[in-house]
Each structure stands twice: as structure tokens, then as C-alpha cells.
Amino acid sequence: MINDKSKRILSKETPEFIGKKVLLKGWVKARRDHGKLIFLDLRDRSGLVQLVVNPKVSEDGYKVAQEIRPEFVVEATGVVKNRSESTINKDLETGAVEVGVSSIIVLSKAQPLPFDMGVEELKLELPTLLDYRALTLRHPKISSIFEVQEALVEGFRNASKKLGCREIVVPTIVASATEGGSGLFEIEYYDHKAFLAQSPQLYKQMMVTVFERVWTIAHAYRAEPSVTTRHLTETTQMDCEIGFVDFRELLDMFEEIAVSMLKHVEESCGNILKKFKMEKIAFGKIPRLTVRETQEIILKEFGRDNRKEKDLAPQDEVDICKWAKEKHKSDLVTITHFPTMAKPFYTMPDPRNPEYSLSYDMLFRGIEIMSGSQRIHDYQQLIESLKKRKLNLKKFEMYLQAFKYGMPPEGGFSFGLERVTMKTLDLKNIREASLFPRDMERVDERFSSIG
Ligand code: AMO
């Protein structure tokens, strides 16, 4: 291994440099003083490594280390050594080595922390965890949630591209609601009213006439009227929209994307899933049920008669997933044919029974993570559907052009990134799956604590 001592190496690489002098840079996660020695856990983007500061090796370094507190940013030079058998830390990737410091420089100081960040697990109440987000995100267990999130995005992107979808970027300032009138954030737009998009829906559909198959990752805004553990007001949606497909093909496509996205996360983040004590995801054949069939199962197996409800209640989602896991060894379930009038205007009614629609949700470990539908692609039928919901046609003029001038049969779907992340790691609250979650009570600061 060639070692240019003036070049920084990462903590993870230290085992490759035993006996060599190296330069490391990072944050001090914890400091422990043992007799005449100071131990520093150094964190960088690759992980952690232990530094040992011995006054006999470096008197100046020892003086500096005495002033160091958690989260100081430092630059340290030293020789990598094997640890003695009894001091090996098996839980740490670099736990068989340590770095004997010959010099250390403070690049940036940190004020005393409001809580101990050196612990294995930050056992703080969620509001505190979020009040100090810029700090708590640094904790390795918390930052690993977002490594998993990155792998989910990557898995989704790979699978969408494999399907032949092209990536598009769409606006979030829009003229109208798409997912129903409530839950819309209105914004002042010069002398006009505009809204924050509830979904990339209209744009992805228009783009089918350009590229046939598209995917996008978009921010979506929902003025949720209540506080729950599964709703955010700003969410990230991973969407596809596909032309020249029928309902069955759409089901095959989103199931394929879901499976390959989740397999990708298991392959690339196995160590993190283990740390979160997650069971392997069950990839049995995914059951496909209509809403009505689901409600029959809920009645038969769980004794609740919800057959007149338009949608599944949260407990129904939990129970049908339990059923799917037991009977089909699947953590995923597909639910189809929601009542047409409970779905947005663009949803295609089932020609065999128009009271129900060619729509679907996908559930994962007890929660809806995705929804979509085959769309109405006929111009006149779409206008009728807008009118039926008393929507203002003028607001949809540009969207309607796509249909006026030739739209193929098409459909699409949208995965909620935070929901998938939450369930992949069994987090109790969706806020933990968002870097900077927005909800009714918080946009970074808690509203109650501002002025
Ligand atoms: P829908 O409104 O069902 O469909 O949203 C798609 C997916 O996005 C996630 N999601 C949310 N996650 C957290 N907080 C919220 N407030 C929230 N709202 C939605 C869910 C959901 O399954 N345009 C259609 C999709 C389509 O037909 O292509 C749409 O937006 O995981």
C-alpha cells in the first residue's frame, strides 16, 4: 500500500496501513481519559476509528487533546497499530486497530453538547431529536437511516431505468389540485393564487406523449389536517408514468420495481439492517386483492365488518399485511379496484363495473407505500371526469392539450420514499425517515417554540 503522509485517509482504511503513519480528519465522537492516556473516537464519512494520545509520544498533542470535547473537528497524524487481543472492539469495523497520535490540530471547536452523542443509541424523545436535527443527524445510527434511504432511491432509479423510463424534473408551483381539493397549500404568486403541488401527476402524464416512459423524484406537499405517525406535509414521491400499457402490465411493473428496490437495499445495506435488527424481507408471490376481497378477508379473519367503507382503515392495512405474511410469505400486498369517486379525476373507471376503478395501492409491512392507477386517456372522458368532480377546466388547459392531441393508454404509480424507509427499518414515526421533516407543528423549529 502506497502511503503519501500528506494525503488524508479515511478511518475505514486504517487497517490497510498497519505500521504506517497516516493523516486522518473528522469529528471527535467521544473522548475518554484513562490515566495518562486520552482516547478519541474519530468519526468521518466512512465510519469510526480510535485515536490514542500519549504524552510520552507527543507532549503538544496531549495538551491539545486535553481541550478537546465531543464534535470538535480535528486533523490528526499518527501510526496505525494493532490493538492488543483484550482491547479489540468486535462491533467496530476498525476495532482491531488504533492510531497512536503524533500530532493533532483543532480545525473547529464545538460548544458543550446538549446531550451525550457518544452513546450507541440516542435515547431522546422525538421532539428533542428533531429540535437538534443538525446535531442528531450526525449520530451514526441516525445517519445510517439515510444511507438506507439513498439505497432505496438508487434501487428505484435502477429499476425504473431498466423499464426504459427517462428521468424528468417537474415544477412544484402549480395552478390546481390533483389529488383532491383539501390538503392544498395556497401560495401568493404575485397578483395571483398558486399552489404547492400535491404530486408530479399532471406533468408526468403530459410527458408520456414525449418520452412514453418517465420517472421522477419529486417533492409533494399535503396540508394534512392532523398529526399522525405516517403523514408529513412535505414528502418525497418516486413516480413512474408509462404509455402503451394495460392494467395487468402496470401491476407487474410496480411489483417488479418494489421488489428490486427492496432487494437492492438488502444487498447494499445488510449491515445497517442487521444493526436495526430487521428480519429479512419476505419476497413470496405478492397477493393481489380487490378492496372488496380485502374487506371480506378482514371480516372472516379479523372479525371487523368494514365492507361498506370506501378505503381500507389503517388497522385493515396492518391486518391484511399480517395475513399476507402468514399465508403467502410476502411483506408486500397489492390492493386494487378502489371506488371510482374516492379516487382522483384522472383514474380510469373499470369498464366492467365503473363504480370501481383500475386503481391500486401497495402495502408493505402494514402501511400503504405506493398508489397509482391506469389513467383516463380519452380527451372527452377526461373532461367529463373533471366536470363530475366540479373542477375548473380552465385550470387544466395545458394538461388537457396532451389528451386533445393524442394520448396512448397509460398509467403510473408513486412510492412515498419516507414511508418505504420507515418500514424498511421499522421506524415508529415517519419523521425519523425524513432528514428535516415538515408537519403541522414544525418547519425546522417547533411553531410553539417560536416567538
Ligand atoms: P398518493 O396521494 O396516494 O398518490 O401518494 C402516493 C404515495 O405517496 C406517499 N404519501 C405520503 N407520505 C407521507 N406523508 C403524506 N402526507 C403522504 N401522502 C402521500 C404514500 C402514497 O402511497 N398522484 C398519485 C400517484 C399516482 O397515481 O401515480 C398520488 O399522489 O406512500
Side-chain angles (χ1 to χ4, degrees), residues 178-179 198-202 204 220-224 228 230-241 343-344 346-347 360-362 367-373 375 411-420 430:
T178 54
E179 311 303 313
Q198 293 168 304
S199 146
Q201 186 66 32
L202 304 189
K204 66 173 179 167
Y221 302 89
R222 308 279 172 106
E224 295 293 344
T228 77
R230 55 208 233 143
H231 290 96
L232 294 167
T233 51
E234 180 170 6
T235 78
T236 316
Q237 294 191 328
M238 302 188 288
D239 280 47
C240 286
E241 197 71 15
K343 282 283 162 185
Y346 50 77
T347 312
Y360 36 74
D361 277 3
M362 176 169 255
I367 196 174
E368 174 203 319
I369 55 157
M370 183 231 69
S371 107
S373 59
R375 321 298 188 189
F413 40 86
S414 169
F415 288 87
L417 176 61
E418 295 83 3
R419 289 222 183 145
V420 186
I430 194 166

Side-chain angles (χ1 to χ4, degrees), residues 289-313 316 320 335 338-339 356:
L289 306 165
T290 66
V291 176
R292 294 295 173 237
E293 285 165 351
T294 309
Q295 289 166 335
E296 290 295 341
I297 295 173
I298 295 292
L299 175 62
K300 195 163 148 251
E301 304 279 332
F302 300 92
R304 290 194 312 280
D305 189 359
N306 289 341
R307 289 176 299 175
K308 293 213 171 67
E309 299 297 326
K310 287 191 204 138
D311 203 345
L312 301 183
D316 297 342
I320 203 67
I335 314 285
F338 290 85
Y356 293 95

